[in-house]
Amino acid sequence: MYVATTTVSILGGTGEDAFGDEADGSTVLASEISASLVESTRTAREPVTGTPRIVRTHICRIPPGTDVDENKRIKDEKTGEIYIVVAVTKNSNPFLAQPL
């Protein structure tokens, strides 16, 4: 179970940029999906200098059955921010349907 903090759209497809290279498309595959989008941070150090860096990531929980994979992107409909999908996992619970 999760508490929705926003609504998102799933973006997919590809197109061409001005140079003829493949670019991410902006085709909306699904919209107005309730989701929990939470920022997470961690500190990492550069291997050579040891300089600390803050790495920001986001975790998005969406309803089960939503068609999303690593080839799609997620757009926060409230802020307009677009996020790439790095990994998709599904929690296993034999009693309740789990979010993606």
Short mmCIF file of all heavy atoms in Angstrom, two decimals, residues 23-97:
data_model
loop_
_atom_site.label_atom_id
_atom_site.label_comp_id
_atom_site.label_asym_id
_atom_site.label_seq_id
_atom_site.Cartn_x
_atom_site.Cartn_y
_atom_site.Cartn_z
N ALA A 23 16.10 10.06 -30.59
CA ALA A 23 15.87 10.80 -29.34
C ALA A 23 14.61 10.27 -28.69
O ALA A 23 13.75 9.68 -29.35
CB ALA A 23 15.73 12.29 -29.64
N ASP A 24 14.51 10.48 -27.37
CA ASP A 24 13.31 10.06 -26.65
C ASP A 24 12.10 10.81 -27.17
O ASP A 24 12.16 12.02 -27.37
CB ASP A 24 13.45 10.32 -25.15
CG ASP A 24 14.49 9.43 -24.50
OD1 ASP A 24 14.69 8.31 -25.00
OD2 ASP A 24 15.09 9.86 -23.51
N GLY A 25 11.02 10.07 -27.39
CA GLY A 25 9.79 10.70 -27.83
C GLY A 25 8.97 11.19 -26.66
O GLY A 25 9.29 10.94 -25.50
N SER A 26 7.93 11.91 -26.95
CA SER A 26 7.08 12.44 -25.88
C SER A 26 5.64 11.95 -26.02
O SER A 26 4.71 12.64 -25.62
CB SER A 26 7.13 13.97 -25.88
OG SER A 26 6.71 14.46 -27.13
N THR A 27 5.47 10.77 -26.58
CA THR A 27 4.14 10.19 -26.74
C THR A 27 3.60 9.76 -25.37
O THR A 27 4.25 9.01 -24.66
CB THR A 27 4.18 8.96 -27.67
OG1 THR A 27 4.77 9.35 -28.90
CG2 THR A 27 2.81 8.40 -27.90
N VAL A 28 2.43 10.26 -25.01
CA VAL A 28 1.82 9.91 -23.73
C VAL A 28 1.11 8.56 -23.89
O VAL A 28 0.16 8.44 -24.65
CB VAL A 28 0.83 10.99 -23.26
CG1 VAL A 28 0.16 10.56 -21.97
CG2 VAL A 28 1.53 12.32 -23.09
N LEU A 29 1.59 7.54 -23.19
CA LEU A 29 1.01 6.20 -23.28
C LEU A 29 -0.10 6.00 -22.25
O LEU A 29 -1.03 5.24 -22.48
CB LEU A 29 2.10 5.15 -23.09
CG LEU A 29 3.29 5.24 -24.05
CD1 LEU A 29 4.35 4.23 -23.68
CD2 LEU A 29 2.82 5.05 -25.48
N ALA A 30 0.02 6.67 -21.10
CA ALA A 30 -1.00 6.61 -20.05
C ALA A 30 -0.88 7.90 -19.24
O ALA A 30 0.21 8.45 -19.10
CB ALA A 30 -0.80 5.39 -19.16
N SER A 31 -2.00 8.39 -18.71
CA SER A 31 -1.94 9.63 -17.94
C SER A 31 -2.85 9.55 -16.73
O SER A 31 -3.65 8.63 -16.59
CB SER A 31 -2.33 10.82 -18.81
OG SER A 31 -3.66 10.68 -19.25
N GLU A 32 -2.68 10.53 -15.85
CA GLU A 32 -3.46 10.66 -14.62
C GLU A 32 -3.42 9.40 -13.76
O GLU A 32 -4.42 8.96 -13.23
CB GLU A 32 -4.89 11.07 -14.93
CG GLU A 32 -4.99 12.43 -15.60
CD GLU A 32 -6.42 12.89 -15.82
OE1 GLU A 32 -7.34 12.30 -15.23
OE2 GLU A 32 -6.60 13.84 -16.57
N ILE A 33 -2.22 8.84 -13.62
CA ILE A 33 -2.00 7.66 -12.79
C ILE A 33 -1.59 8.15 -11.40
O ILE A 33 -0.63 8.91 -11.27
CB ILE A 33 -0.90 6.76 -13.37
CG1 ILE A 33 -1.30 6.30 -14.76
CG2 ILE A 33 -0.62 5.59 -12.45
CD1 ILE A 33 -0.18 5.64 -15.52
N SER A 34 -2.32 7.75 -10.37
CA SER A 34 -1.94 8.15 -9.01
C SER A 34 -0.64 7.44 -8.64
O SER A 34 -0.47 6.25 -8.89
CB SER A 34 -3.04 7.84 -8.01
OG SER A 34 -3.25 6.45 -7.95
N ALA A 35 0.28 8.20 -8.04
CA ALA A 35 1.59 7.64 -7.73
C ALA A 35 2.18 8.29 -6.49
O ALA A 35 1.82 9.40 -6.13
CB ALA A 35 2.54 7.86 -8.92
N SER A 36 3.09 7.57 -5.88
CA SER A 36 3.88 8.11 -4.78
C SER A 36 5.28 8.35 -5.33
O SER A 36 5.98 7.42 -5.72
CB SER A 36 3.94 7.10 -3.63
OG SER A 36 4.88 7.52 -2.67
N LEU A 37 5.68 9.61 -5.40
CA LEU A 37 6.98 9.99 -5.94
C LEU A 37 7.79 10.63 -4.82
O LEU A 37 7.45 11.70 -4.33
CB LEU A 37 6.80 10.95 -7.11
CG LEU A 37 8.03 11.32 -7.92
CD1 LEU A 37 8.66 10.08 -8.54
CD2 LEU A 37 7.65 12.30 -9.01
N VAL A 38 8.85 9.94 -4.38
CA VAL A 38 9.62 10.37 -3.22
C VAL A 38 11.09 10.47 -3.60
O VAL A 38 11.65 9.57 -4.23
CB VAL A 38 9.45 9.37 -2.05
CG1 VAL A 38 10.25 9.80 -0.84
CG2 VAL A 38 7.99 9.21 -1.69
N GLU A 39 11.73 11.58 -3.19
CA GLU A 39 13.15 11.76 -3.45
C GLU A 39 13.96 11.05 -2.38
O GLU A 39 13.60 11.02 -1.21
CB GLU A 39 13.51 13.25 -3.45
CG GLU A 39 14.96 13.51 -3.76
CD GLU A 39 15.29 14.98 -3.84
OE1 GLU A 39 14.40 15.78 -4.16
OE2 GLU A 39 16.46 15.32 -3.58
N SER A 40 15.07 10.46 -2.80
CA SER A 40 15.98 9.77 -1.90
C SER A 40 17.40 10.25 -2.21
O SER A 40 17.75 10.46 -3.38
CB SER A 40 15.86 8.27 -2.12
OG SER A 40 16.83 7.57 -1.39
N THR A 41 18.21 10.46 -1.20
CA THR A 41 19.59 10.89 -1.42
C THR A 41 20.56 9.96 -0.71
O THR A 41 20.20 9.30 0.27
CB THR A 41 19.83 12.32 -0.90
OG1 THR A 41 19.56 12.36 0.49
CG2 THR A 41 18.97 13.33 -1.61
N ARG A 42 21.77 9.93 -1.23
CA ARG A 42 22.84 9.20 -0.56
C ARG A 42 24.15 9.91 -0.87
O ARG A 42 24.25 10.63 -1.86
CB ARG A 42 22.90 7.73 -0.99
CG ARG A 42 23.31 7.51 -2.42
CD ARG A 42 23.41 6.01 -2.74
NE ARG A 42 23.71 5.80 -4.13
CZ ARG A 42 24.94 5.76 -4.64
NH1 ARG A 42 25.97 5.94 -3.87
NH2 ARG A 42 25.12 5.55 -5.92
N THR A 43 25.14 9.70 -0.04
CA THR A 43 26.44 10.33 -0.24
C THR A 43 27.41 9.30 -0.79
O THR A 43 27.50 8.18 -0.28
CB THR A 43 26.97 10.90 1.08
OG1 THR A 43 26.01 11.82 1.59
CG2 THR A 43 28.28 11.62 0.88
N ALA A 44 28.11 9.68 -1.86
CA ALA A 44 29.13 8.82 -2.45
C ALA A 44 30.43 9.62 -2.53
O ALA A 44 30.41 10.85 -2.55
CB ALA A 44 28.70 8.35 -3.83
N ARG A 45 31.54 8.93 -2.57
CA ARG A 45 32.84 9.60 -2.68
C ARG A 45 33.48 9.25 -4.01
O ARG A 45 33.42 8.11 -4.46
CB ARG A 45 33.75 9.20 -1.53
CG ARG A 45 33.24 9.67 -0.19
CD ARG A 45 34.33 9.53 0.87
NE ARG A 45 33.87 10.05 2.13
CZ ARG A 45 34.01 11.31 2.52
NH1 ARG A 45 34.59 12.17 1.74
NH2 ARG A 45 33.58 11.71 3.69
N GLU A 46 34.12 10.25 -4.62
CA GLU A 46 34.85 10.00 -5.86
C GLU A 46 36.03 9.09 -5.55
O GLU A 46 36.71 9.26 -4.53
CB GLU A 46 35.36 11.32 -6.46
CG GLU A 46 34.25 12.16 -7.03
CD GLU A 46 34.78 13.37 -7.76
OE1 GLU A 46 36.00 13.47 -7.98
OE2 GLU A 46 33.96 14.22 -8.11
N PRO A 47 36.30 8.11 -6.42
CA PRO A 47 37.34 7.13 -6.11
C PRO A 47 38.75 7.73 -5.99
O PRO A 47 39.53 7.31 -5.15
CB PRO A 47 37.29 6.15 -7.28
CG PRO A 47 36.08 6.48 -8.06
CD PRO A 47 35.60 7.81 -7.64
N VAL A 48 39.09 8.70 -6.81
CA VAL A 48 40.46 9.22 -6.82
C VAL A 48 40.67 10.28 -5.75
O VAL A 48 41.60 10.19 -4.95
CB VAL A 48 40.80 9.80 -8.22
CG1 VAL A 48 42.19 10.41 -8.22
CG2 VAL A 48 40.70 8.71 -9.27
N THR A 49 39.80 11.29 -5.72
CA THR A 49 40.02 12.42 -4.80
C THR A 49 39.34 12.23 -3.46
O THR A 49 39.71 12.89 -2.50
CB THR A 49 39.49 13.71 -5.43
OG1 THR A 49 38.08 13.60 -5.60
CG2 THR A 49 40.17 14.00 -6.75
N GLY A 50 38.34 11.37 -3.38
CA GLY A 50 37.62 11.19 -2.13
C GLY A 50 36.62 12.30 -1.84
O GLY A 50 36.09 12.38 -0.74
N THR A 51 36.37 13.15 -2.83
CA THR A 51 35.43 14.25 -2.66
C THR A 51 34.02 13.70 -2.50
O THR A 51 33.56 12.90 -3.32
CB THR A 51 35.47 15.19 -3.88
OG1 THR A 51 36.81 15.61 -4.08
CG2 THR A 51 34.57 16.38 -3.69
N PRO A 52 33.31 14.11 -1.44
CA PRO A 52 31.94 13.61 -1.27
C PRO A 52 30.98 14.24 -2.27
O PRO A 52 31.08 15.42 -2.58
CB PRO A 52 31.59 14.01 0.16
CG PRO A 52 32.49 15.13 0.50
CD PRO A 52 33.73 14.96 -0.34
N ARG A 53 30.08 13.45 -2.79
CA ARG A 53 29.05 13.90 -3.72
C ARG A 53 27.70 13.41 -3.22
O ARG A 53 27.59 12.30 -2.70
CB ARG A 53 29.28 13.35 -5.13
CG ARG A 53 30.59 13.73 -5.74
CD ARG A 53 30.58 15.15 -6.17
NE ARG A 53 31.85 15.47 -6.83
CZ ARG A 53 32.32 16.68 -6.91
NH1 ARG A 53 31.66 17.68 -6.41
NH2 ARG A 53 33.47 16.89 -7.49
N ILE A 54 26.69 14.22 -3.40
CA ILE A 54 25.33 13.81 -3.03
C ILE A 54 24.63 13.33 -4.30
O ILE A 54 24.55 14.06 -5.29
CB ILE A 54 24.56 14.97 -2.39
CG1 ILE A 54 25.23 15.36 -1.06
CG2 ILE A 54 23.10 14.58 -2.16
CD1 ILE A 54 24.63 16.56 -0.40
N VAL A 55 24.15 12.10 -4.26
CA VAL A 55 23.46 11.50 -5.40
C VAL A 55 21.96 11.50 -5.08
O VAL A 55 21.52 10.94 -4.09
CB VAL A 55 23.95 10.05 -5.64
CG1 VAL A 55 23.21 9.42 -6.81
CG2 VAL A 55 25.44 10.03 -5.86
N ARG A 56 21.18 12.17 -5.95
CA ARG A 56 19.74 12.24 -5.76
C ARG A 56 19.04 11.25 -6.69
O ARG A 56 19.32 11.21 -7.88
CB ARG A 56 19.23 13.65 -6.07
CG ARG A 56 19.73 14.68 -5.10
CD ARG A 56 19.34 16.08 -5.49
NE ARG A 56 17.95 16.16 -5.92
CZ ARG A 56 17.47 17.11 -6.71
NH1 ARG A 56 18.26 18.05 -7.15
NH2 ARG A 56 16.21 17.12 -7.04
N THR A 57 18.17 10.45 -6.13
CA THR A 57 17.36 9.53 -6.92
C THR A 57 15.90 9.69 -6.48
O THR A 57 15.62 10.34 -5.48
CB THR A 57 17.79 8.06 -6.71
OG1 THR A 57 17.64 7.74 -5.33
CG2 THR A 57 19.22 7.83 -7.14
N HIS A 58 15.01 9.12 -7.24
CA HIS A 58 13.59 9.17 -6.90
C HIS A 58 13.00 7.78 -6.98
O HIS A 58 13.40 6.98 -7.83
CB HIS A 58 12.84 10.10 -7.86
CG HIS A 58 13.22 11.53 -7.70
ND1 HIS A 58 14.39 12.06 -8.19
CD2 HIS A 58 12.57 12.55 -7.08
CE1 HIS A 58 14.45 13.34 -7.89
NE2 HIS A 58 13.37 13.67 -7.21
N ILE A 59 12.07 7.50 -6.11
CA ILE A 59 11.34 6.23 -6.12
C ILE A 59 9.89 6.55 -6.44
O ILE A 59 9.28 7.41 -5.78
CB ILE A 59 11.46 5.50 -4.78
CG1 ILE A 59 12.93 5.16 -4.51
CG2 ILE A 59 10.59 4.25 -4.76
CD1 ILE A 59 13.19 4.62 -3.14
N CYS A 60 9.35 5.89 -7.44
CA CYS A 60 7.97 6.12 -7.85
C CYS A 60 7.20 4.82 -7.69
O CYS A 60 7.55 3.80 -8.29
CB CYS A 60 7.91 6.59 -9.30
SG CYS A 60 6.25 6.96 -9.86
N ARG A 61 6.16 4.86 -6.89
CA ARG A 61 5.30 3.69 -6.72
C ARG A 61 3.99 3.95 -7.46
O ARG A 61 3.35 4.98 -7.24
CB ARG A 61 5.05 3.43 -5.24
CG ARG A 61 6.29 2.95 -4.53
CD ARG A 61 6.02 2.62 -3.08
NE ARG A 61 7.18 2.04 -2.45
CZ ARG A 61 8.12 2.72 -1.82
NH1 ARG A 61 8.02 4.03 -1.74
NH2 ARG A 61 9.14 2.11 -1.27
N ILE A 62 3.63 3.02 -8.32
CA ILE A 62 2.41 3.15 -9.13
C ILE A 62 1.57 1.89 -8.99
O ILE A 62 2.07 0.86 -8.54
CB ILE A 62 2.75 3.42 -10.61
CG1 ILE A 62 3.68 2.35 -11.17
CG2 ILE A 62 3.38 4.80 -10.77
CD1 ILE A 62 4.01 2.52 -12.63
N PRO A 63 0.30 1.94 -9.39
CA PRO A 63 -0.57 0.77 -9.22
C PRO A 63 -0.07 -0.44 -10.02
O PRO A 63 0.54 -0.28 -11.08
CB PRO A 63 -1.92 1.25 -9.77
CG PRO A 63 -1.86 2.72 -9.72
CD PRO A 63 -0.43 3.09 -9.91
N PRO A 64 -0.35 -1.65 -9.52
CA PRO A 64 0.04 -2.85 -10.26
C PRO A 64 -0.69 -2.91 -11.59
O PRO A 64 -1.80 -2.40 -11.73
CB PRO A 64 -0.38 -4.00 -9.34
CG PRO A 64 -1.33 -3.42 -8.37
CD PRO A 64 -1.04 -1.95 -8.28
N GLY A 65 -0.04 -3.49 -12.57
CA GLY A 65 -0.64 -3.62 -13.89
C GLY A 65 -0.34 -2.45 -14.81
O GLY A 65 -0.71 -2.47 -15.98
N THR A 66 0.32 -1.41 -14.31
CA THR A 66 0.70 -0.27 -15.14
C THR A 66 1.86 -0.69 -16.03
O THR A 66 2.85 -1.23 -15.55
CB THR A 66 1.10 0.94 -14.28
OG1 THR A 66 0.04 1.22 -13.37
CG2 THR A 66 1.37 2.15 -15.13
N ASP A 67 1.74 -0.45 -17.33
CA ASP A 67 2.77 -0.86 -18.28
C ASP A 67 3.92 0.13 -18.27
O ASP A 67 3.86 1.18 -18.89
CB ASP A 67 2.17 -0.96 -19.69
CG ASP A 67 3.17 -1.47 -20.70
OD1 ASP A 67 4.11 -2.18 -20.31
OD2 ASP A 67 3.01 -1.15 -21.91
N VAL A 68 4.96 -0.22 -17.53
CA VAL A 68 6.16 0.62 -17.47
C VAL A 68 7.39 -0.28 -17.44
O VAL A 68 7.37 -1.35 -16.84
CB VAL A 68 6.12 1.58 -16.26
CG1 VAL A 68 6.17 0.82 -14.96
CG2 VAL A 68 7.22 2.60 -16.31
N ASP A 69 8.44 0.11 -18.16
CA ASP A 69 9.69 -0.62 -18.16
C ASP A 69 10.84 0.37 -18.35
O ASP A 69 10.63 1.58 -18.35
CB ASP A 69 9.71 -1.73 -19.22
CG ASP A 69 9.46 -1.20 -20.63
OD1 ASP A 69 9.80 -0.03 -20.90
OD2 ASP A 69 8.93 -1.96 -21.45
N GLU A 70 12.05 -0.14 -18.53
CA GLU A 70 13.24 0.71 -18.62
C GLU A 70 13.28 1.54 -19.91
O GLU A 70 14.13 2.41 -20.05
CB GLU A 70 14.52 -0.13 -18.50
CG GLU A 70 14.78 -0.64 -17.10
CD GLU A 70 14.01 -1.92 -16.78
OE1 GLU A 70 13.34 -2.47 -17.68
OE2 GLU A 70 14.07 -2.37 -15.63
N ASN A 71 12.40 1.29 -20.87
CA ASN A 71 12.35 2.06 -22.11
C ASN A 71 11.37 3.22 -22.04
O ASN A 71 11.19 3.93 -23.02
CB ASN A 71 11.97 1.15 -23.29
CG ASN A 71 13.02 0.08 -23.53
OD1 ASN A 71 14.21 0.34 -23.40
ND2 ASN A 71 12.57 -1.11 -23.84
N LYS A 72 10.74 3.40 -20.92
CA LYS A 72 9.74 4.46 -20.77
C LYS A 72 10.26 5.53 -19.82
O LYS A 72 11.28 5.37 -19.16
CB LYS A 72 8.45 3.86 -20.23
CG LYS A 72 7.96 2.65 -21.04
CD LYS A 72 6.61 2.85 -21.56
CE LYS A 72 6.06 1.77 -22.44
NZ LYS A 72 6.59 0.47 -22.47
N ARG A 73 9.54 6.64 -19.76
CA ARG A 73 9.85 7.73 -18.84
C ARG A 73 8.60 8.10 -18.07
O ARG A 73 7.49 7.81 -18.52
CB ARG A 73 10.40 8.94 -19.59
CG ARG A 73 11.77 8.64 -20.17
CD ARG A 73 12.29 9.70 -21.10
NE ARG A 73 11.43 9.76 -22.28
CZ ARG A 73 10.88 10.89 -22.74
NH1 ARG A 73 11.08 12.03 -22.14
NH2 ARG A 73 10.12 10.87 -23.80
N ILE A 74 8.76 8.74 -16.93
CA ILE A 74 7.63 9.14 -16.09
C ILE A 74 7.63 10.65 -15.97
O ILE A 74 8.67 11.26 -15.67
CB ILE A 74 7.74 8.48 -14.70
CG1 ILE A 74 7.57 6.97 -14.84
CG2 ILE A 74 6.71 9.06 -13.74
CD1 ILE A 74 7.76 6.20 -13.56
N LYS A 75 6.48 11.26 -16.19
CA LYS A 75 6.34 12.71 -16.07
C LYS A 75 5.42 13.03 -14.91
O LYS A 75 4.28 12.57 -14.86
CB LYS A 75 5.76 13.30 -17.35
CG LYS A 75 5.57 14.80 -17.28
CD LYS A 75 5.03 15.35 -18.57
CE LYS A 75 4.89 16.87 -18.49
NZ LYS A 75 4.35 17.42 -19.74
N ASP A 76 5.92 13.82 -13.96
CA ASP A 76 5.11 14.29 -12.84
C ASP A 76 4.18 15.37 -13.38
O ASP A 76 4.63 16.40 -13.88
CB ASP A 76 6.02 14.84 -11.74
CG ASP A 76 5.27 15.24 -10.49
OD1 ASP A 76 4.03 15.39 -10.55
OD2 ASP A 76 5.92 15.42 -9.45
N GLU A 77 2.88 15.14 -13.33
CA GLU A 77 1.92 16.07 -13.91
C GLU A 77 1.78 17.36 -13.10
O GLU A 77 1.35 18.37 -13.64
CB GLU A 77 0.57 15.39 -14.08
CG GLU A 77 0.61 14.27 -15.10
CD GLU A 77 -0.68 13.51 -15.24
OE1 GLU A 77 -1.58 13.68 -14.40
OE2 GLU A 77 -0.79 12.73 -16.20
N LYS A 78 2.16 17.34 -11.82
CA LYS A 78 2.07 18.56 -11.01
C LYS A 78 3.24 19.51 -11.27
O LYS A 78 3.05 20.71 -11.35
CB LYS A 78 2.02 18.21 -9.52
CG LYS A 78 0.70 17.61 -9.09
CD LYS A 78 0.66 17.40 -7.60
CE LYS A 78 -0.66 16.79 -7.18
NZ LYS A 78 -0.71 16.52 -5.74
N THR A 79 4.45 18.96 -11.38
CA THR A 79 5.64 19.81 -11.54
C THR A 79 6.14 19.87 -12.98
O THR A 79 6.90 20.77 -13.31
CB THR A 79 6.79 19.30 -10.66
OG1 THR A 79 7.18 17.99 -11.12
CG2 THR A 79 6.40 19.25 -9.21
N GLY A 80 5.76 18.91 -13.81
CA GLY A 80 6.25 18.87 -15.18
C GLY A 80 7.60 18.20 -15.33
O GLY A 80 8.14 18.10 -16.43
N GLU A 81 8.20 17.74 -14.22
CA GLU A 81 9.50 17.07 -14.27
C GLU A 81 9.36 15.71 -14.96
O GLU A 81 8.37 15.00 -14.77
CB GLU A 81 10.05 16.85 -12.86
CG GLU A 81 10.38 18.12 -12.13
CD GLU A 81 11.65 18.77 -12.64
OE1 GLU A 81 12.56 18.05 -13.09
OE2 GLU A 81 11.73 20.00 -12.57
N ILE A 82 10.37 15.35 -15.75
CA ILE A 82 10.39 14.05 -16.44
C ILE A 82 11.56 13.24 -15.89
O ILE A 82 12.68 13.74 -15.78
CB ILE A 82 10.52 14.24 -17.96
CG1 ILE A 82 9.30 14.99 -18.48
CG2 ILE A 82 10.67 12.89 -18.65
CD1 ILE A 82 9.34 15.32 -19.95
N TYR A 83 11.29 11.98 -15.54
CA TYR A 83 12.29 11.09 -14.96
C TYR A 83 12.48 9.88 -15.86
O TYR A 83 11.52 9.35 -16.41
CB TYR A 83 11.82 10.60 -13.58
CG TYR A 83 11.51 11.72 -12.61
CD1 TYR A 83 10.21 12.20 -12.47
CD2 TYR A 83 12.51 12.30 -11.85
CE1 TYR A 83 9.92 13.22 -11.59
CE2 TYR A 83 12.23 13.33 -10.96
CZ TYR A 83 10.93 13.78 -10.85
OH TYR A 83 10.65 14.80 -9.98
N ILE A 84 13.74 9.44 -16.00
CA ILE A 84 14.00 8.20 -16.72
C ILE A 84 13.77 7.04 -15.76
O ILE A 84 13.92 7.18 -14.55
CB ILE A 84 15.42 8.14 -17.30
CG1 ILE A 84 16.47 8.21 -16.21
CG2 ILE A 84 15.64 9.22 -18.32
CD1 ILE A 84 17.88 7.91 -16.68
N VAL A 85 13.39 5.91 -16.30
CA VAL A 85 13.18 4.71 -15.49
C VAL A 85 14.46 3.89 -15.57
O VAL A 85 14.86 3.45 -16.65
CB VAL A 85 11.97 3.89 -15.99
CG1 VAL A 85 11.82 2.62 -15.19
CG2 VAL A 85 10.71 4.73 -15.93
N VAL A 86 15.11 3.69 -14.43
CA VAL A 86 16.36 2.94 -14.39
C VAL A 86 16.09 1.47 -14.12
O VAL A 86 16.72 0.60 -14.71
CB VAL A 86 17.30 3.53 -13.31
CG1 VAL A 86 18.56 2.70 -13.17
CG2 VAL A 86 17.64 4.97 -13.64
N ALA A 87 15.15 1.17 -13.23
CA ALA A 87 14.83 -0.21 -12.89
C ALA A 87 13.38 -0.30 -12.47
O ALA A 87 12.83 0.64 -11.92
CB ALA A 87 15.74 -0.71 -11.77
N VAL A 88 12.78 -1.44 -12.75
CA VAL A 88 11.40 -1.71 -12.34
C VAL A 88 11.41 -2.97 -11.48
O VAL A 88 11.95 -4.00 -11.89
CB VAL A 88 10.48 -1.92 -13.56
CG1 VAL A 88 9.07 -2.26 -13.12
CG2 VAL A 88 10.48 -0.70 -14.45
N THR A 89 10.86 -2.87 -10.29
CA THR A 89 10.77 -4.03 -9.41
C THR A 89 9.35 -4.15 -8.91
O THR A 89 8.59 -3.19 -8.87
CB THR A 89 11.71 -3.91 -8.20
OG1 THR A 89 11.37 -2.75 -7.45
CG2 THR A 89 13.16 -3.84 -8.63
N LYS A 90 9.00 -5.35 -8.52
CA LYS A 90 7.68 -5.60 -7.95
C LYS A 90 7.88 -6.31 -6.63
O LYS A 90 8.57 -7.32 -6.56
CB LYS A 90 6.84 -6.47 -8.89
CG LYS A 90 5.45 -6.71 -8.38
CD LYS A 90 4.61 -7.50 -9.37
CE LYS A 90 3.23 -7.70 -8.81
NZ LYS A 90 2.39 -8.45 -9.71
N ASN A 91 7.31 -5.73 -5.57
CA ASN A 91 7.38 -6.37 -4.26
C ASN A 91 6.50 -7.61 -4.26
O ASN A 91 5.45 -7.63 -4.89
CB ASN A 91 6.92 -5.41 -3.17
CG ASN A 91 7.79 -4.20 -3.07
OD1 ASN A 91 8.95 -4.26 -3.42
ND2 ASN A 91 7.25 -3.10 -2.59
N SER A 92 6.91 -8.62 -3.54
CA SER A 92 6.09 -9.83 -3.49
C SER A 92 5.38 -9.91 -2.14
O SER A 92 6.00 -9.89 -1.09
CB SER A 92 6.95 -11.07 -3.72
OG SER A 92 7.94 -11.16 -2.74
N ASN A 93 4.08 -9.98 -2.19
CA ASN A 93 3.24 -10.14 -1.01
C ASN A 93 2.10 -11.07 -1.41
O ASN A 93 1.32 -10.74 -2.30
CB ASN A 93 2.72 -8.80 -0.53
CG ASN A 93 1.93 -8.90 0.77
OD1 ASN A 93 1.31 -9.91 1.04
ND2 ASN A 93 1.96 -7.84 1.54
N PRO A 94 1.98 -12.21 -0.78
CA PRO A 94 0.95 -13.16 -1.21
C PRO A 94 -0.49 -12.73 -0.88
O PRO A 94 -1.43 -13.31 -1.38
CB PRO A 94 1.32 -14.44 -0.45
CG PRO A 94 2.06 -13.96 0.75
CD PRO A 94 2.77 -12.72 0.31
N PHE A 95 -0.66 -11.68 -0.08
CA PHE A 95 -1.99 -11.29 0.36
C PHE A 95 -2.53 -10.05 -0.31
O PHE A 95 -3.73 -9.89 -0.48
CB PHE A 95 -2.01 -11.12 1.88
CG PHE A 95 -1.56 -12.34 2.62
CD1 PHE A 95 -0.32 -12.38 3.22
CD2 PHE A 95 -2.35 -13.47 2.65
CE1 PHE A 95 0.11 -13.52 3.87
CE2 PHE A 95 -1.93 -14.63 3.31
CZ PHE A 95 -0.70 -14.64 3.92
N LEU A 96 -1.66 -9.09 -0.66
CA LEU A 96 -2.11 -7.82 -1.23
C LEU A 96 -1.41 -7.57 -2.55
O LEU A 96 -0.24 -7.92 -2.73
CB LEU A 96 -1.78 -6.66 -0.28
CG LEU A 96 -2.45 -6.67 1.08
CD1 LEU A 96 -1.83 -5.59 1.96
CD2 LEU A 96 -3.94 -6.45 0.93
N ALA A 97 -2.11 -6.93 -3.49
CA ALA A 97 -1.49 -6.52 -4.73
C ALA A 97 -0.50 -5.41 -4.41
O ALA A 97 -0.82 -4.47 -3.69
CB ALA A 97 -2.54 -6.02 -5.71
#
